[in-house]
Amino acid sequence: MPVDAEQAWKDLQRIRVPQERVYDEFERSASGGRGMTYGTAALMWVFLAGVGMDLPQWGVGLLMAAYVGLLSVLVVRNSRRSRMRLHHTRCPGRMWAAFGAAAVLVGGTVVLSDHLTESLEPILAGLVQATAAVAVYLLSLGPANRWAAESVRSGGGPAADEETGR
């Protein structure tokens, strides 16, 4: 049976447009929105500033429990609002790599700022560490999310790249 090239092209475009919309929505929802971003950053800042105050062990434990609890509430609220649901196998390795890289960057910033602020008062040192770590988190979040979401868009493999002419 002969294939009409014109009809095949129209069919491909009809399929591709909704697929591109799905990828666009995924990129928009990858960061969780401004509320999630700034809420996470604010919680991180309060936690790091609190840890920098030389609290007793029970105080650090209480602060850690409050941090994890509030962060969990933020994640649950955001996941309930998210319209985009992907099967877990659609989360590529780039997402895990971006998460790991962010953890290394923020953790490295905390360690480095700890060494640089040793001569300061504990409270002031904690504020500097918290501010530096949150600044690194906020500055690296956008590019990391775009890089991770781009892998989902290009996840079709070589065949998809040939069709689009990339």
Side-chain angles (χ1 to χ4, degrees):
M1 171 182 275
V3 176
D4 180 18
E6 182 74 24
Q7 185 61 39
W9 178 253
K10 287 178 184 177
D11 290 344
L12 179 63
Q13 294 309 308
R14 192 180 72 241
I15 293 168
R16 187 173 301 272
V17 169
Q19 182 182 20
E20 289 298 315
R21 287 186 188 139
V22 168
Y23 291 148
D24 291 343
E25 178 63 25
F26 178 77
E27 287 177 359
R28 276 193 298 276
S29 67
S31 69
R34 288 187 180 168
M36 179 70 171
T37 300
Y38 293 130
T40 305
L43 280 175
M44 182 189 306
W45 190 89
V46 169
F47 173 73
L48 291 173
V51 168
M53 287 196 236
D54 284 340
L55 297 173
Q57 283 298 96
W58 65 267
V60 172
L62 188 62
L63 188 64
M64 179 85 90
Y67 177 65
V68 169
L70 289 171
L71 197 57
S72 298
V73 167
L74 248 174
V75 168
V76 167
R77 285 187 66 214
N78 183 63
S79 68
R80 286 186 180 156
R81 271 193 239 151
S82 177
R83 294 182 296 159
M84 178 61 65
R85 301 273 186 227
L86 292 179
H87 189 272
H88 67 88
T89 57
R90 292 291 294 160
C91 292
R94 276 191 184 190
M95 288 183 164
W96 295 110
F99 179 75
V104 168
L105 266 173
V106 172
T109 302
V110 169
V111 170
L112 180 64
S113 63
D114 182 44
H115 289 302
L116 294 175
T117 59
E118 284 176 347
S119 63
L120 297 174
E121 295 278 330
I123 292 176
L124 184 59
L127 295 176
V128 169
Q129 287 176 335
T131 304
V134 168
V136 166
Y137 169 74
L138 289 173
L139 289 173
S140 65
L141 188 65
N145 281 340
R146 282 191 295 278
W147 179 72
E150 179 183 300
S151 69
V152 172
R153 183 181 291 274
S154 62
D161 291 342
E162 290 172 8
E163 290 172 357
T164 60
R166 291 184 203 169

